[in-house]
Amino acid sequence: MFLDIENMNIEQLLEKQIELRQKLSQAHSLNLVGPAGQIQNMIEQIGIEIKAKSQIDALQKEREKRIEEGKDPDDDVLNIG
């Protein structure tokens, strides 16, 4: 089962994760091992996407903060001696 989550925002991802957890609970109660495994994989995929989007948002906010402070937003150079 393919899950298209790239265009979802964080709130939509969280809603989808809740929905899938409910389906996972139903699958376990009906002893459906195969579908339960697929649903668990989708939940993990959504978790990864939530983390990635959260980190991207945090980096974007940090960049905006640097711009507001008058600093170079792209000054992420590592000087080695």
Side-chain angles (χ1 to χ4, degrees), residues 14-69:
L14 289 171
E15 289 173 11
K16 190 67 169 177
Q17 191 177 45
I18 290 168
E19 175 189 332
L20 287 172
R21 287 183 191 275
Q22 291 170 345
K23 289 182 180 184
L24 180 62
S25 176
Q26 291 173 348
H28 281 303
S29 68
L30 295 172
N31 214 15
L32 300 173
V33 178
Q38 290 177 342
I39 294 169
Q40 183 63 45
N41 288 339
M42 288 187 280
I43 291 171
E44 290 172 9
Q45 182 183 359
I46 289 174
I48 291 168
E49 192 71 20
I50 289 170
K51 283 183 183 180
K53 288 188 179 197
S54 295
Q55 289 176 344
I56 289 169
D57 287 350
L59 289 173
Q60 184 63 28
K61 286 178 184 177
E62 180 64 29
R63 188 173 194 279
E64 290 172 2
K65 181 181 173 186
R66 285 184 181 180
I67 291 171
E68 288 175 3
E69 293 174 350

